[in-house]
Amino acid sequence: MKNAQISLRSLLSSLFAMVLLAVLFQACSKDDGPVTPPVDKTRLKARLDSATATYTAAQEGVQVGQYEVGSRAVFKTAIDAATTVNTNAGATQSEVNNAYVNLGQAQTTFASKQVQEIAPANLVLFLKMDGNANDASGKGLNGTLKPGATGVGSWTGWGGTSTNLPVATKDRYGNDNRAYSFDKGANIEVPYNSVLNPSKELTIAAWVRPTKVNESNYIVSLNRWNGYKFQLQSVNKVFMTVKTAPDKIFDRDNESPTLDLNKWYHAAVTYKSGEMVFYINGTPVKTWTDVTGDPFAVKSTINLTIGQDLPTGLYQFNEKNDADGNNFHGPWGGFFTGDIDEVRMYNVVLGGTQIRSIYNAEKP
């Protein structure tokens, strides 16, 4: 009997202990809530290490492989912001994740600021205008200084040629005889070569200083609207025409800004099917996407001209049967009035960084 009482007492004690433990466990579970996992900064730390190494090795400048001036400071700001989150013991996982994404975007932007090489084969014409019209591209397409057509009375009576050749003048740095001044059709004629008529892509860039607003201030032209032409128009905006089929011509301008007179600008345009982009002083100012087709040139063996819409010898005003049957040269336009320097043409679309690097290397 005594042993039975002891066993019962032990059993009750065990049951009471089990009930107490269950109550305590349930209470603890309700009070403590879910356990928060530790914040993981592994990916952020790895990206910080990579970004810091890139920043440390980067050099600013205009040479291939260098980065645009000012871009390192912007990148360093992003690195510092990510470092602040990484070293903050109280940072949440959401803050860490955001810092990781933001730093990745900054890395991508910084990479886009690196000056890229332009293959020499892609440069098809480079007229430095340093006292002559020789081609520095290596293609040997040297230009010749030509006079424009001269007028007698109304433009319908124009005929013959004048003696107003392009005149050597100061460049944007103020150096004598390092650019050419153009007026009244004075032009530089470059002998036709198939490389001047690229089949897919095109980039034209030049330093220009307009001194008069004309309806058609031609800078570079390959048979004007039967091929392509780069010019200023009636309100002094940069303008490009590209013909892509016998019945398809695209005329577009940079929209804004307009160019001031008597001031040097670096003007550039790129074209490929689906995109025409204008640049002023290294900055993209307008992108057109409603252009389609590859460059197409009718009568493509016509020589290219700098400073006029057509080679002077093709104007036959009395018979009105110049290169395309449309007299266009007149007192209101068809020729550039002002100074031109450093004309470049490429058979590829240059990227924004490449065009900015040209501008940064040559700006006064």
Side-chain angles (χ1 to χ4, degrees), residues 21-44:
L21 287 173
V23 171
L24 289 173
F25 178 80
Q26 186 176 14
C28 289
S29 299
K30 289 181 178 179
D31 293 339
D32 292 347
V35 178
T36 302
V39 174
D40 184 3
K41 298 180 179 179
T42 305
R43 291 197 310 160
L44 177 58

Side-chain angles (χ1 to χ4, degrees), residues 10-26:
S10 298
L11 179 60
L12 291 174
S13 297
S14 297
L15 288 173
F16 177 79
M18 292 174 63
V19 171
L20 180 61
L21 287 173
V23 171
L24 289 173
F25 178 80
Q26 186 176 14

Side-chain angles (χ1 to χ4, degrees), residues 154-174:
S154 67
W155 77 268
T156 54
W158 282 33
T161 58
S162 69
T163 58
N164 59 308
L165 296 171
V167 178
T169 188
K170 294 180 183 293
D171 64 9
R172 58 198 173 280
Y173 305 106

Side-chain angles (χ1 to χ4, degrees), residues 16-307:
F16 177 79
M18 292 174 63
V19 171
L20 180 61
L21 287 173
V23 171
L24 289 173
F25 178 80
Q26 186 176 14
C28 289
S29 299
K30 289 181 178 179
D31 293 339
D32 292 347
V35 178
T36 302
V39 174
D40 184 3
K41 298 180 179 179
T42 305
R43 291 197 310 160
L44 177 58
K45 178 61 167 58
R47 179 161 283 180
L48 264 171
D49 290 343
S50 173
T52 301
T54 299
Y55 169 81
T56 302
Q59 294 183 342
E60 292 186 342
V62 296
Q63 303 302 316
V64 173
Q66 295 180 329
Y67 294 79
E68 291 182 20
V69 175
S71 60
R72 289 183 82 247
V74 175
F75 190 32
K76 183 62 163 56
T77 299
I79 292 174
D80 290 344
T83 300
T84 298
V85 174
N86 187 58
T87 56
N88 181 10
T92 65
Q93 190 64 58
S94 178
E95 291 172 332
V96 171
N97 293 344
N98 288 339
Y100 175 82
V101 171
N102 292 339
L103 183 57
Q105 292 173 342
Q107 284 181 299
T108 300
T109 299
F110 186 61
S112 73
K113 303 298 183 181
Q114 189 174 32
V115 179
Q116 304 298 315
E117 182 177 11
I118 304 172
N122 296 137
L123 178 64
V124 297
L125 183 69
F126 181 19
L127 303 186
K128 292 185 175 182
M129 311 289 200
D130 291 349
N132 57 57
N134 292 341
D135 175 26
S137 74
K139 306 296 186 299
L141 301 179
N142 297 333
T144 302
L145 304 187
K146 295 282 187 174
T150 185
V152 180
S154 67
W155 77 268
T156 54
W158 282 33
T161 58
S162 69
T163 58
N164 59 308
L165 296 171
V167 178
T169 188
K170 294 180 183 293
D171 64 9
R172 58 198 173 280
Y173 305 106
N175 298 321
D176 291 327
N177 302 320
R178 302 297 293 272
Y180 276 110
S181 179
F182 297 79
D183 194 12
K184 296 182 177 62
N187 66 91
I188 293 174
E189 187 173 323
V190 178
Y192 176 79
N193 188 292
S194 60
V195 300
L196 299 174
N197 186 22
S199 60
K200 293 290 184 182
E201 300 181 359
L202 175 67
T203 296
I204 302 176
W207 284 92
V208 296
R209 178 180 172 269
T211 58
K212 180 182 178 182
V213 177
N214 286 332
E215 178 67 27
S216 297
N217 244 352
Y218 277 70
I219 303 169
V220 177
S221 176
L222 182 67
N223 200 5
R224 50 190 180 194
W225 49 74
N226 278 327
Y228 59 81
K229 57 186 176 71
F230 184 49
Q231 64 183 83
L232 303 181
Q233 38 85 302
S234 58
V235 291
N236 239 27
K237 295 179 182 179
V238 182
F239 190 90
M240 180 70 170
T241 298
V242 178
K243 186 168 190 174
T244 62
D247 59 349
K248 187 178 292 185
I249 298 173
F250 293 101
D251 292 319
R252 299 291 184 269
D253 64 42
N254 67 284
E255 286 202 340
S256 180
T258 58
L259 305 191
D260 295 330
L261 294 180
N262 304 307
K263 181 178 178 180
W264 281 104
Y265 292 90
H266 186 259
V269 63
T270 66
Y271 178 85
K272 65 180 179 181
S273 182
E275 185 180 79
M276 183 187 295
V277 185
F278 289 93
Y279 295 81
I280 302 295
N281 290 343
T283 300
V285 294
K286 179 63 182 180
T287 298
W288 296 94
T289 57
D290 59 343
V291 292
T292 57
D294 298 330
F296 174 94
V298 176
K299 300 178 181 178
S300 59
T301 57
I302 291 174
N303 290 345
L304 180 139
T305 50
I306 310 296

